[in-house]
Amino acid sequence: MPLHHYRPPPNHGGITSTQQQQVTHQPPAMDVLSQSRRQLADYTNSLHRDGFLDDQFSQLQQLQDESSPDFVMEVVSLFFEDCQKLVTNMARALSELQAVDFKQVDSSVHQLKGSSSSVGAARIKNLCVAFKTCCDSQNRDGCMRCLQEVNRECVLLKNKLQTLFRLEQQIISAGGSIPM
Amino acid sequence: MAQQGGSSSSGGGGSLNVSPMKPLASLKVLVVDDEPMMRTIHKAQLVRAGINDVEVAANGKDAVDLHVNGATFDLILMDLHMPIMDGCQATKELRAMGVKSSIVGVTSSGGAEKTAFLASGLDDCVSKPFVLQQIAHYLKVPRSPTNPPKYHNP
């Protein structure tokens, strides 16, 4: 019922009208939790819809339980450590003035493709396919462009996942559990 | 697929020498992968399946050393590309030592690399990331000392 139509019941010696208003205006805790859950679901769906994540990420979420409540966060953290290391290796190899060791770059790309597949980082995995083609054709400029895109996608995905984990934390702080 | 042993025990007459199937909770699995993330994921998959005894090694040499020191496993999940000693070499050394555990390669490599990996003594090879169903067979096959690995070339 819209608030301007609301008529408080006559006060028969019970709670004051101020208290009545306070009770009326305060959203129930369950509504806050439902809203947070809906926000999380919408955000997760958007990450899948926009291609940031694929079903492999959902598989990882299925592995998280009470005995390993931070499993996904732990895996994601290890993934980004790996990403950083591989991007640094590739940047170093591609910045060689004399001759680029494309085999080394390819090896790092292969590893990144495997890691990103395993964590469900779909856009990064797909970039690795194009990156490999540039390595195979020893296209230095192409490799540099791919590296820049990989770097950009890693930063983007990291931010997106941080938002996801923050939304999950909101639910936990409100006394709820993460729907899997 | 790994073959079931069909030879009789010494002194016996035609009976199968097959150990009873081990329950999942009593299986010992070794995960060999140089990436901490992959070791974490594989271990979690196995624990979720009900296998509590999961050991990890960060490269092929560590996996071989575990066996030199007397460790035994029902199943070894072996990555291919690892520093110090890769999966191919580790598998060859384990088979040369007489290790009869099921060894399943886990790799996103294909073509000649995968063929060579299989030929090193694997029972099978699955793609990374694997789904548990791909290795379910190796968790159910009866344990038998005469159960030879599929690709082993003695």
Side-chain angles (χ1 to χ4, degrees):
Chain A
M1 178 190 288
L3 281 175
H4 62 269
H5 286 309
Y6 177 74
R7 287 172 190 273
N11 191 342
H12 294 295
I15 60 173
T16 65
S17 59
T18 312
Q19 285 170 326
Q20 187 86 27
Q21 281 200 328
Q22 284 171 345
V23 166
T24 312
H25 284 261
Q26 193 146 28
M30 279 308 294
D31 284 350
V32 171
L33 202 49
S34 302
Q35 200 174 16
S36 297
R37 283 202 175 114
R38 195 175 312 124
Q39 250 185 317
L40 175 65
D42 288 346
Y43 193 71
T44 308
N45 287 339
S46 75
L47 292 182
H48 284 267
R49 192 178 52 240
D50 296 341
F52 286 101
L53 299 175
D54 62 26
D55 187 56
Q56 182 61 25
F57 187 79
S58 309
Q59 299 291 327
L60 290 185
Q61 289 178 308
Q62 300 287 333
L63 292 174
Q64 184 163 295
D65 58 19
E66 300 80 35
S67 65
S68 54
D70 298 321
F71 173 72
V72 177
M73 213 180 296
E74 190 189 326
V75 167
V76 162
S77 175
L78 289 169
F79 169 67
F80 285 115
E81 276 177 28
D82 214 27
C83 261
Q84 188 57 54
K85 187 186 75 183
L86 292 170
V87 163
T88 304
N89 289 347
M90 288 188 269
R92 192 181 300 128
L94 287 168
S95 66
E96 283 296 322
L97 292 172
Q98 291 185 341
V100 173
D101 186 347
F102 284 103
K103 270 185 88 173
Q104 192 187 344
V105 180
D106 183 62
S107 167
S108 294
V109 172
H110 178 81
Q111 215 173 318
L112 182 61
K113 189 180 169 207
S115 301
S116 53
S117 285
S118 300
V119 87
R123 276 158 67 143
I124 296 173
K125 178 187 78 176
N126 292 337
L127 276 175
C128 290
V129 175
F131 206 154
K132 181 171 172 51
T133 306
C134 291
C135 288
D136 290 345
S137 54
Q138 303 204 347
N139 178 351
R140 184 183 178 145
D141 289 343
C143 283
M144 290 295 293
R145 277 193 298 274
C146 287
L147 181 62
Q148 281 171 1
E149 283 200 52
V150 161
N151 213 12
R152 191 166 38 240
E153 284 295 331
C154 281
V155 170
L156 202 50
L157 181 62
K158 193 171 186 179
N159 290 338
K160 299 270 180 195
L161 288 174
Q162 279 171 347
T163 301
L164 183 81
F165 295 141
R166 204 164 37 244
L167 288 171
E168 287 183 346
Q169 197 50 51
Q170 271 176 20
I171 292 172
I172 293 167
S173 301
S177 58
I178 310 299
M180 289 298 166
Chain B
M1 303 289 181
Q3 306 294 315
Q4 287 201 13
S7 59
S8 60
S9 54
S10 56
S15 59
L16 285 177
N17 184 19
V18 175
S19 309
M21 280 173 64
K22 290 175 80 171
L24 281 177
S26 68
L27 289 180
K28 279 188 71 176
V29 181
L30 174 64
V31 173
V32 190
D33 201 302
D34 61 319
E35 291 181 64
M37 186 190 81
M38 293 313 305
R39 293 197 298 268
T40 304
I41 294 174
H42 290 173
K43 185 168 178 175
Q45 284 175 297
L46 292 164
V47 167
R48 174 55 67 91
I51 299 163
N52 300 317
D53 197 342
V54 180
E55 206 157 333
V56 298
N59 57 65
K61 185 177 182 306
D62 286 355
V64 169
D65 287 347
L66 279 170
H67 287 82
V68 166
N69 292 330
T72 58
F73 300 93
D74 297 290
L75 172 65
I76 301 169
L77 296 173
M78 184 76 76
D79 183 25
L80 174 55
H81 295 291
M82 293 181 284
I84 304 172
M85 186 187 291
D86 70 12
C88 227
Q89 187 58 35
T91 304
K92 284 178 188 168
E93 292 203 14
L94 290 173
R95 293 305 189 204
M97 284 168 62
V99 170
K100 300 253 187 303
S101 315
S102 297
I103 306 180
V104 175
V106 183
T107 179
S108 40
S109 296
E113 248 190 344
K114 186 175 175 178
T115 306
F117 195 15
L118 281 162
S120 69
L122 297 180
D123 288 80
D124 206 343
C125 200
V126 297
S127 325
K128 209 184 262 198
F130 73 83
V131 291
L132 218 49
Q133 284 79 0
Q134 289 175 281
I135 63 163
H137 172 80
Y138 299 97
L139 305 174
K140 289 178 186 169
V141 171
R143 303 295 121 206
S144 163
T146 61
N147 196 354
K150 180 185 177 187
Y151 292 101
H152 181 51
N153 294 317

